Amino acid sequence: MSTTPPVLAAELAQAWADIQRHHPELPDLAAPESLIGESSSACGSELSFERLLHEAVHGIAAARGVRDTSRAGRYHNRRFLAIAEEMGLDHPEEPHASSGFSLVTLSPDAKRRYRPTIERLQRALKAHTAATAGDTKRSFRGPAARHGSSGGGVRVKAVCDCGRNVRVVPSVLAQAPIVCGGCGKPFRIPEAVGAAS
């Protein structure tokens, strides 16, 4: 199994498709690459199937036009919680003071339902982690690796020609094109487009 980000992104897209089979209203995942290396204290800092299902809750909320967070996306409200329960996520009884109900976990039923998907994604994540953690003195991974950063970075808006946009860490976009599921064209960071002209 290759451990390059595009292969891991394909595994993430497949896991998302598995979730869509159980929840058809879930929109397509526009940029699975954006989840690789991104950390978010409100949504879980580690990439896993549980985190992917958490992100799917946000996807269904968006499809329904439900405002499921506040405080710049950090506080997950009871509307988030209701969708999370539908999708097989358990939660603490009381909300966290700063992140609300963001700390959801897979229910036993969800673990059974998604077992093959979870196992496949765990293998891909483990292989990816092993490949990217094996630095030698002859390899250079940039300032994030040198300074111990999570590599998450600040997300910026990337747009495509049809007007859709995604938030992405610029270094993730630089690894490989992120293609719009609507028009098939790559997303670009507007400032980079203007600078190139």
Side-chain angles (χ1 to χ4, degrees):
M1 170 188 299
S2 173
T3 57
T4 61
V7 171
L8 180 53
E11 290 293 338
L12 288 165
Q14 181 59 52
W16 190 268
D18 292 347
I19 298 168
Q20 283 179 311
R21 276 194 277 288
H22 295 281
H23 303 279
E25 70 182 304
L26 178 63
D28 290 340
L29 181 60
E33 297 89 348
S34 67
L35 295 172
I36 302 170
E38 177 186 316
S39 65
S40 165
S41 58
C43 298
S45 59
E46 196 171 298
L47 187 54
S48 65
F49 182 78
E50 190 170 83
R51 165 99 186 276
L52 194 64
L53 196 56
H54 176 125
E55 297 297 341
V57 172
H58 292 302
I60 287 184
R64 293 178 182 175
V66 171
R67 187 165 181 239
D68 63 339
T69 62
S70 59
R71 300 180 196 166
R74 289 185 308 274
Y75 192 87
H76 293 59
N77 60 36
R78 291 193 184 276
R79 291 180 292 272
F80 169 85
L81 183 60
I83 298 169
E85 288 174 343
E86 283 178 43
M87 296 187 71
L89 290 166
D90 286 335
H91 58 87
E93 289 297 316
E94 295 298 319
H96 185 273
S98 63
S99 63
F101 292 102
S102 69
L103 304 174
V104 290
T105 57
L106 286 170
S107 69
D109 285 343
K111 286 178 184 175
R112 280 190 294 278
R113 179 183 315 129
Y114 294 111
R115 174 174 279 137
T117 304
I118 293 167
E119 291 172 355
R120 189 179 66 243
L121 185 57
Q122 282 176 333
R123 282 192 302 272
L125 286 165
K126 184 176 178 182
H128 177 75
T129 299
T132 57
D135 280 351
T136 67
K137 290 183 181 184
R138 296 182 52 97
S139 65
F140 177 75
R141 292 184 50 225
R146 284 197 319 273
H147 300 294
S149 165
S150 67
V154 176
R155 291 182 283 169
V156 297
K157 182 163 71 169
V159 297
C160 74
D161 292 341
C162 73
R164 295 179 74 206
N165 65 70
V166 296
R167 290 278 184 194
V168 63
V169 177
S171 62
V172 171
L173 189 59
Q175 291 173 3
I178 298 174
V179 179
C180 175
C183 68
K185 294 184 179 175
F187 284 94
R188 293 181 305 279
I189 299 172
E191 296 84 345
V193 172
S197 299

